[in-house]
Amino acid sequence: MEKYKKKFVSNMKEKYDDISSRNASMTEKELYNFLHTFKGTAGTVGYQVSADKAEALLSKMNLESERIVSKEETIHLLDTVMEEILEAAIENKEKEEESTIQKMIMLINPNPMVLIERKAQLEQEGYIVFAAMDLKKAHTALYDMNPDCIIVDYQLIETDQSDIANEVKEKAELQFIPFIMTDSVSSATNRINGYRFGSDDFLDHEVSLEEYLLRVNGKIAKRKTIVHSVLTDELTGAYNRKYLDSQLNYIRYDLMRNNEKASLAIFDIDHFKSINDRFGHLIGDQVLKKLSQYIIDEKRRTDIFIRYGGEEFVLLLPDTTAVQADQFLQRLLNGFRTKNFRFKEETFSVTFSGGIVDIDGASTNKKLLDQADEALYRAKANGRNQMVIYESNLTDIKPVKTIRIAVVDDDEIIRTLLTSQLQQFQPDENYEIEVKSYREGESFFEDSWHKLGSSCLVLLDGIMPRMDGIEVLRKLRQESSQGKYTVMMLTGRKAEKDIVKALELGADDYITKPFRIGELEARIKRLIQKML
């Protein structure tokens, strides 16, 4: 029965969208026929509440009437009758999107042999695994990668002298990320200390692989339930992205019903990555919180403030035109850039840029957000520190950041395959990709292309003539601008000592040949998010 319910929901949502997008009105007879069909199928597949609502409405209608029902009245009636169907359509879409997203685990262990073994086991379960041998590297990546679980060895917690472990744990708590400790011994004292520290689970060396995976899977599943039940972003106090669609749907419906005005703004913090790189992610969090609190304090009670992702926010402004929203946000921008932040002896200020669009009842949520995004890109291209109102001629705006990907591999087939696949890769974010390949390390270093811009991802073969991958990696890490390079090793080597060496030299990830292109692309997306 479940597949029939999904099919019914899909069909009804498609018909609802078709009616919503058309400007034409319906006769009462046409609406009656639609609702009559809807009622019969809804009750059959298990949506009895919707069937009862349709039945109640049908009892007040005339099958033979040719009365014209306005589009606004039609949408209002359908929203009332189809409420649970539309909610089910949103839920089905979310489930489909989630099923295509691989979960990510951050694995931190000082023993390279254990690290390699556990990484392989977890990847067999379908996870993407970010492996690190120390807390410092994990701490930096945590803010960029948003893992679904953190698994850290107890010895790293016990020997931590810089309080990094506490920062990692606190960040995990804010985002409901399971924090699991492992131990190479079986010690009741260690286990008790681990739980006192705040571990969600403790797995010692006596735990079998089957139990290890079951407990990790269980914690990740529980986190999913918790995250979905909470609508507020813990760091900023803004609503989270999950809240956006329902509220935007409501505003658009209100526009159609009452012919009201409303606007939407997307804005983000200028040069936020530079703030994180220069002052640290804790200061970056302070900037996010201070901006959020400032907006919350200044906005009207009816305005809806949402953290859209990272340093990007959305503001829904009922009863406000785009011009009025621009005046309001310009005032907020002028006020916020006068506020000072302090790091040690240095003070700095922060600006933001944004795009604004008038909300209309006919446009979809996605179209409105895309239009506001186009205006945001124009604000960035114009020099930042400003708001731009969307206009239909804001087209063909180039992304604001270029990610260079260098493929260094002496195997011509692999080199050609990867270059071709990556050139076809179309990112959804505000960046574009440039790809270039090299058959050896020497030609890579002789070319200045990878030195252009601020970021370069290097896909690096482990074994090459003359200068092999380990030597290339070592030289990159000795560069004064080493921070611009993110390195993924492509290795056919099974020798664990070679993988250990790559990790010790600072490789950000590795994948062994043969590999699946889909898995490689998923890992590249994660690394690019870290680079942005």
Side-chain angles (χ1 to χ4, degrees):
M1 182 60 72
E2 192 61 33
K3 69 177 181 179
Y4 297 109
K5 291 180 74 172
K6 287 184 178 179
K7 182 65 174 175
F8 173 69
V9 167
S10 176
N11 288 344
M12 289 300 104
K13 179 64 166 61
E14 186 176 333
K15 290 179 180 178
Y16 174 88
D17 289 342
D18 179 58
I19 293 171
S20 299
S21 63
R22 285 191 278 121
N23 290 323
S25 303
M26 298 177 70
T27 66
E28 186 172 339
K29 182 178 180 179
E30 289 172 328
L31 184 57
Y32 183 99
N33 289 334
F34 174 81
L35 290 172
H36 186 270
T37 302
F38 173 86
K39 180 201 74 171
T41 309
T44 301
V45 300
Y47 287 109
Q48 193 57 49
V49 172
S50 295
D52 291 343
K53 288 181 177 180
E55 177 65 34
L57 186 57
L58 285 167
S59 67
K60 302 174 184 178
M61 298 176 69
N62 183 356
L63 174 59
E64 303 303 324
S65 173
E66 295 297 329
R67 180 179 72 88
I68 300 297
V69 183
S70 69
K71 179 182 175 181
E72 289 76 13
E73 184 182 354
T74 300
I75 296 298
H76 173 62
L77 293 174
L78 292 182
D79 281 344
T80 302
V81 172
M82 298 177 65
E83 182 179 8
E84 68 172 333
I85 305 302
L86 297 176
E87 288 177 355
I90 293 172
E91 184 178 338
N92 289 345
K93 181 182 178 183
E94 288 175 349
K95 286 180 179 178
E96 288 174 6
E97 289 174 348
E98 287 171 5
S99 66
T100 64
I101 300 172
Q102 285 181 280
K103 299 295 184 183
M104 182 190 179
I105 292 176
M106 180 171 284
L107 185 65
I108 317 163
N109 196 300
N111 186 324
M113 299 302 135
V114 173
L115 192 69
I116 292 167
E117 181 182 10
R118 286 303 192 200
K119 184 177 191 288
Q121 292 164 346
L122 289 164
E123 287 175 345
Q124 280 290 105
E125 283 285 289
Y127 294 112
I128 293 176
V129 181
F130 174 84
M133 295 175 65
D134 60 81
L135 283 167
K136 186 176 181 181
K137 184 170 184 178
H139 175 252
T140 301
L142 174 63
Y143 286 80
D144 300 314
M145 289 193 159
N146 192 26
D148 298 285
C149 183
I150 298 171
I151 305 174
V152 58
D153 187 75
Y154 173 79
Q155 299 304 318
L156 290 174
I157 305 296
E158 187 180 45
T159 57
D160 178 44
Q161 301 294 320
S162 56
D163 211 32
I164 294 178
N166 266 312
E167 291 182 18
V168 171
K169 183 199 69 173
E170 288 170 4
K171 186 71 175 178
E173 288 174 348
L174 282 175
Q175 298 185 358
F176 305 103
I177 301 171
F179 188 81
I180 298 175
M181 284 191 199
T182 57
D183 200 1
S184 59
V185 299
S186 181
S187 165
T189 301
N190 289 358
R191 188 163 58 252
I192 290 169
N193 288 339
Y195 283 122
R196 280 177 176 159
F197 182 80
S199 177
D200 295 302
D201 205 350
F202 196 98
L203 309 175
D204 60 35
H205 82 291
E206 292 183 352
V207 173
S208 67
L209 174 60
E210 182 180 8
E211 184 178 353
Y212 179 98
L213 294 174
L214 279 171
R215 286 161 74 171
V216 170
N217 291 339
K219 287 291 184 292
I220 291 175
K222 185 176 181 181
R223 188 218 179 201
K224 176 184 171 183
T225 301
I226 293 171
V227 168
H228 277 227
S229 67
V230 178
L231 294 177
T232 302
D233 177 64
E234 291 294 320
L235 175 66
T236 63
Y239 285 112
N240 60 28
R241 189 167 180 167
K242 185 178 175 66
Y243 194 62
L244 176 59
D245 264 348
S246 62
Q247 293 305 299
L248 194 46
N249 284 337
Y250 177 82
I251 288 175
R252 289 196 298 110
Y253 164 68
D254 206 48
L255 284 172
M256 289 186 291
R257 184 182 63 183
N258 300 320
N259 195 28
E260 298 286 352
K261 56 192 176 183
S263 55
L264 177 153
I266 290 180
F267 54 97
D268 69 14
I269 297 169
D270 294 329
H271 304 296
F272 186 69
K273 186 178 185 299
S274 298
I275 294 171
N276 280 333
D277 291 345
R278 184 174 179 183
F279 304 112
H281 291 283
L282 289 178
I283 299 297
D285 281 355
Q286 287 182 22
V287 171
L288 289 172
K289 287 191 284 189
K290 194 165 184 177
L291 173 61
S292 300
Q293 192 57 55
Y294 179 67
I295 301 292
I296 290 169
D297 290 343
E298 293 292 326
K299 75 177 186 66
R300 301 168 303 179
R301 184 181 60 82
T302 53
D303 297 336
I304 300 164
F305 180 53
I306 295 162
R307 187 179 182 188
Y308 194 53
E311 72 274 22
E312 196 168 28
F313 298 89
V314 169
L315 193 61
L316 304 179
L317 300 115
D319 196 32
T320 307
T321 65
V323 172
Q324 292 169 330
D326 180 54
Q327 293 170 350
F328 172 63
L329 284 161
Q330 289 287 358
R331 179 171 65 80
L332 293 185
L333 174 56
N334 291 336
F336 188 69
R337 64 186 169 207
T338 64
K339 299 182 181 300
N340 290 324
F341 295 86
R342 178 175 292 276
F343 179 73
K344 296 181 179 177
E345 301 302 317
E346 187 173 352
T347 60
F348 64 98
S349 59
V350 177
T351 60
F352 57 84
S353 303
I356 306 168
V357 63
D358 278 308
I359 298 175
D360 62 85
S363 297
T364 64
N365 293 355
K366 184 179 185 304
K367 182 177 179 181
L368 292 168
L369 290 164
D370 286 347
Q371 290 174 342
D373 251 330
E374 287 184 23
L376 169 60
Y377 293 156
R378 176 59 60 87
K380 296 283 189 184
N382 288 348
R384 298 179 168 84
N385 189 24
Q386 60 188 278
M387 306 299 299
V388 170
I389 297 175
Y390 171 79
E391 297 172 0
S392 58
N393 63 354
L394 293 180
T395 56
D396 300 324
I397 299 173
K398 293 293 184 182
V400 297
K401 188 176 182 66
T402 298
I403 299 291
R404 288 175 170 79
I405 302 181
V407 180
V408 188
D409 196 310
D410 67 316
D411 186 320
E412 183 178 358
I413 294 176
I414 292 291
R415 194 168 65 246
T416 304
L417 172 64
L418 289 178
T419 302
S420 174
Q421 289 290 327
L422 290 168
Q423 286 173 339
Q424 297 175 37
F425 174 51
Q426 296 295 324
D428 297 327
E429 308 292 338
N430 56 327
Y431 63 89
E432 61 183 359
I433 285 175
E434 288 184 11
V435 185
K436 199 166 183 180
S437 64
Y438 306 87
R439 70 174 303 274
E440 57 189 10
E442 290 93 333
S443 58
F444 169 72
F445 282 112
E446 288 168 2
D447 190 357
S448 62
W449 173 82
H450 62 89
K451 297 179 181 179
L452 303 173
S454 59
S455 300
C456 183
L457 172 59
V458 183
L459 307 185
L460 182 58
D461 184 27
I463 301 177
M464 293 182 291
R466 295 195 298 275
M467 179 183 284
D468 71 6
I470 295 295
E471 293 177 83
V472 174
L473 176 58
R474 181 183 287 111
K475 186 172 180 179
L476 281 175
R477 293 314 184 209
Q478 291 171 347
E479 294 269 347
S480 59
S481 58
Q482 60 162 304
K484 72 180 291 179
Y485 297 103
T486 298
V487 179
M488 172 184 278
M489 298 295 295
L490 310 175
T491 176
R493 291 171 164 171
K494 297 297 183 181
E496 292 174 338
K497 64 181 180 64
D498 296 317
I499 299 174
V500 172
K501 190 65 176 176
L503 291 171
E504 289 176 341
L505 286 171
D508 296 277
D509 198 2
Y510 71 89
I511 188 169
T512 55
K513 301 176 184 177
F515 50 78
R516 300 191 306 275
I517 290 295
E519 179 186 0
L520 181 66
E521 285 190 357
R523 293 190 182 197
I524 287 173
K525 286 181 182 179
R526 289 281 188 173
L527 290 174
I528 288 175
Q529 288 303 316
K530 178 175 177 287
M531 296 163 66
L532 291 174

